[in-house]
Every structure is written in structure tokens, then in C-alpha cells.
Amino acid sequence: MTARIIDGKAFAAGLRTRIAADVAALKQARGIVPGLTVVLVGDDPASQVYVRNKGVQTREAGMQSDEIRLPATTSQAELLAVVTRLNADPAVHGILVQFPVPKQIDPDAVIMAIDPAKDVDGLHPVNVGRLALGQEGFVSCTPQGCLMLLKDVLGDLSGADALVIGRSGLVGRPMANLLIRENCTVTVAHSKSRDLPSVTRRADIVVAAVGRPEMVRGDWLKPGATVIDVGMNRIALPDGKTRLIGDVAYAEAVEVAGAITPVPGGVGPMTIACLLRNTLIAATPK
Ligand code: NAP
């Protein structure tokens, strides 16, 4: 059996087109232009690339995109003052502080300072709590994108055995809560889990969010399982170049799984598309 390849790039492009149409309609009907402000502290090269991509795609969707770049020496108080100002600005509907922040700044204090109604990253404890309680709120973008892909492939997820490998606040935990909301039977594995291959073999759905290149092997999978690979691991090649690979051994898994996301081109493009979706929701009058 060869798995169906889940084309996240195409799905995300379609989602962005639908968002752009809704943005145009909101502008015409209510005169509202959704605005996203990204705050970048320091000069981490990977963050610069992410922020640039976010800006391009936000503008392409017809939204207002602003970037605030602060030096690596910025104090926590200075960053919190910027966040407070953005909270009060009616033209700003979504605020995203790009992590990681320099070590003198406590990321939790920054997240706490963001108005939950503008927390388009879905990281504020109010939004995390709403998700955990099954209530409406902003959901972290990457797991939201994973769920969209899963529903596109499988339709109704009710009753499926779902395994989430990883329990981070950014991916694993919100993913597990989303799958509970979809009536899956959810297992969450982490670095202390015992006999992960056996646990994985029971799962109809496997979401791998670990950060370990090709950790999940093909013979760990139940035949026909749907595999969502969140991992983005940049590995060095002998010729000095680098390559992005996932947490799943793709060449093996594709022979066993029913459907699988590639890396790149699977989950990655969904994250920014879901950020745009959250910003549109934040800008739409309730
Ligand atoms: P993270 O905060 O480092 O969390 C990793 C999780 O994996 C932890 O819960 C850890 O367990 C668990 N883990 C580590 N080693 C393990 C092992 N041997 N067996 C089972 N579980 C293990 O990472 P993250 O932020 O969730 O990101 C995970 C991956 O997704 C990374 O590759 C990241 O680059 C990628 N990512 C991609 C996107 C995207 O847009 N595609 C977005 C975000 C993240 P403990 O809790 O016990 O330490």
C-alpha cells in the first residue's frame, strides 16, 4: 500500500484564497481592514524569515500587516509597553510576538500581557483554558492546521484512536484538546512514555510533534493510519547543504500509512494560513 500524500501546500493556498474573499467582503460591508502586528525582538535569522513570510501572506490576503522590530537589548518592561499600546489600538486586531525572545524577557509575562481578544497565536491562558474546556476561543495555529488536514482526509473523526507524540504548549497539548473536542480517544506520548512503538501501533491517527528527525518508524504504524508530521528538523548533508525532514521516517511510513503529510509541504504552510484565519476572526464584529 502507498499512502495518499496530504498536500498541505495546496490546502493552505485554498484556505488563504477563501480568507482573502472574506477579508474583501468585510471591508466592503463594514469598512474594516483586519490588522496583524508582529513584534520581533532581536535578530534571530529563522525568526526573520518567519516574520517576512507572515508579512507577505498577510498583505496578499488584503489585510493590514505591520512589523515592530526591537533590538535584542530590549527590556521586558519595554516590550510589555509595546504590547499594552497595541492592545489599546483599535486598528490592530491581532498581536503576535515572535518567539523565542531574548533571555532577559520572560515569554509567559509577554503572553499574559496580550489581550486575549487579540491573541491570534492562541497562547494566552484564557484561550488555552477555553480550548481545554471545549469552548470557543483562539486556537494555536499549527494544531489548528493539523486538524483541518485530518478532517479533510477523514471527515468525521469520532471514535478514532488518536496518538499525539509531544506535549508542548504550542503543539502537543492543544492538538490533544482539539482531538478530544472531535470525539477521538486520545493518547498523549512524551519523552517519558514507555514502549512508544506499541502505543503508536494502536493509533488510527498519529500526530508527531517531537523535534527528532525520523524518530517514528514505518513499522511503528498501524496499516492505513493517518499520519500528520509536524516535525521540522534541519539536518546537515555531506555536501554542506541542509535539508528539512520530519519526525516520521517518511520513506518507510508512506508504505504503511493510509495518508501522510510530507515535510516540507505538509503542516508547515498551514500555520500561517491559520494565523490569517484567526486575525480575520479577531477583526470580525461578534
Ligand atoms: P518541544 O517544545 O521541544 O516539545 C517536544 C515534545 O516532544 C516534548 O513534549 C517532549 O517530551 C517530546 N519528546 C522529546 N523526545 C521524545 C521522545 N524520544 N519520545 C517521545 N516524545 C519525545 O517542541 P514543539 O514546539 O512542540 O515542536 C515539535 C516539532 O514541531 C519541532 O520539530 C518543531 O520545529 C516543529 N514545529 C513545526 C511547526 C510548523 O509550522 N510545521 C510549528 C511548531 C513546531 P517532554 O515533554 O517529556 O520533554
Side-chain angles (χ1 to χ4, degrees):
M1 173 163 53
T2 302
R4 169 181 165 186
I5 311 305
I6 303 171
D7 188 345
K9 198 172 168 193
F11 191 98
L15 179 58
R16 290 199 307 273
T17 302
R18 292 194 294 280
I19 291 167
D22 288 348
V23 168
L26 183 64
K27 208 184 232 174
Q28 199 180 23
R30 311 289 296 257
I32 297 170
V33 179
L36 173 67
T37 299
V38 177
V39 183
L40 177 62
V41 188
D43 39 28
D44 177 59
S47 294
Q48 308 240 17
V49 175
Y50 293 142
V51 168
R52 198 164 47 241
N53 288 342
K54 282 170 188 166
V56 168
Q57 294 187 24
T58 306
R59 283 187 288 277
E60 279 175 3
M63 300 186 185
Q64 175 66 33
S65 163
D66 291 295
E67 286 167 25
I68 297 177
R69 289 172 184 266
L70 301 171
T73 52
T74 302
S75 69
Q76 180 166 307
E78 286 167 330
L79 178 56
L80 295 186
V82 169
V83 170
T84 304
R85 178 167 62 72
L86 296 173
N87 282 341
D89 185 341
V92 176
H93 302 98
I95 303 168
L96 187 148
V97 178
Q98 183 69 44
F99 291 111
V101 284
K103 59 181 182 322
Q104 71 275 15
I105 298 171
D106 173 11
D108 289 339
V110 177
I111 291 167
M112 284 298 288
I114 296 172
D115 180 348
K118 298 189 178 190
D119 169 39
V120 286
D121 230 359
L123 297 178
H124 192 285
V126 166
N127 285 316
V128 174
R130 282 182 183 146
L131 175 62
L133 292 170
Q135 299 172 358
E136 286 302 311
F138 290 116
V139 177
S140 179
C141 301
T142 300
Q144 189 184 143
C146 293
L147 183 66
M148 281 183 190
L149 295 177
L150 279 171
K151 288 175 86 163
D152 187 53
V153 175
L154 296 172
D156 184 8
L157 307 184
S158 285
D161 270 315
L163 169 67
V164 181
I165 314 178
R167 57 176 167 181
S168 70
L170 190 64
V171 190
R173 283 171 201 256
M175 188 73 240
N177 277 319
L178 282 172
L179 291 166
I180 290 170
R181 203 161 81 176
E182 296 298 322
N183 302 315
C184 293
T185 304
V186 181
T187 303
V188 180
H190 44 75
S191 66
K192 306 289 187 292
S193 296
R194 284 195 213 121
D195 195 5
L196 191 52
S198 299
V199 176
T200 309
R201 261 176 227 121
R202 290 197 294 269
D204 305 309
I205 294 169
V206 177
V207 180
V210 185
R212 290 183 182 264
E214 301 191 332
M215 185 187 84
V216 177
R217 311 307 308 186
D219 65 0
W220 293 19
L221 298 171
K222 180 182 192 172
T226 304
V227 179
I228 304 290
D229 190 350
V230 184
M232 293 213 301
N233 309 290
R234 192 159 287 285
I235 57 155
L237 299 173
D239 62 4
K241 293 187 179 143
T242 63
R243 191 161 75 94
L244 202 60
I245 60 169
D247 289 340
V248 178
Y250 183 83
E252 296 173 13
V254 83
E255 301 297 329
V256 185
I260 185 169
T261 56
V263 177
V267 173
M270 294 299 293
T271 299
I272 298 182
C274 289
L275 175 68
L276 302 182
R277 182 173 180 271
N278 280 352
T279 305
L280 172 63
I281 292 168
T284 305
K286 307 297 170 279

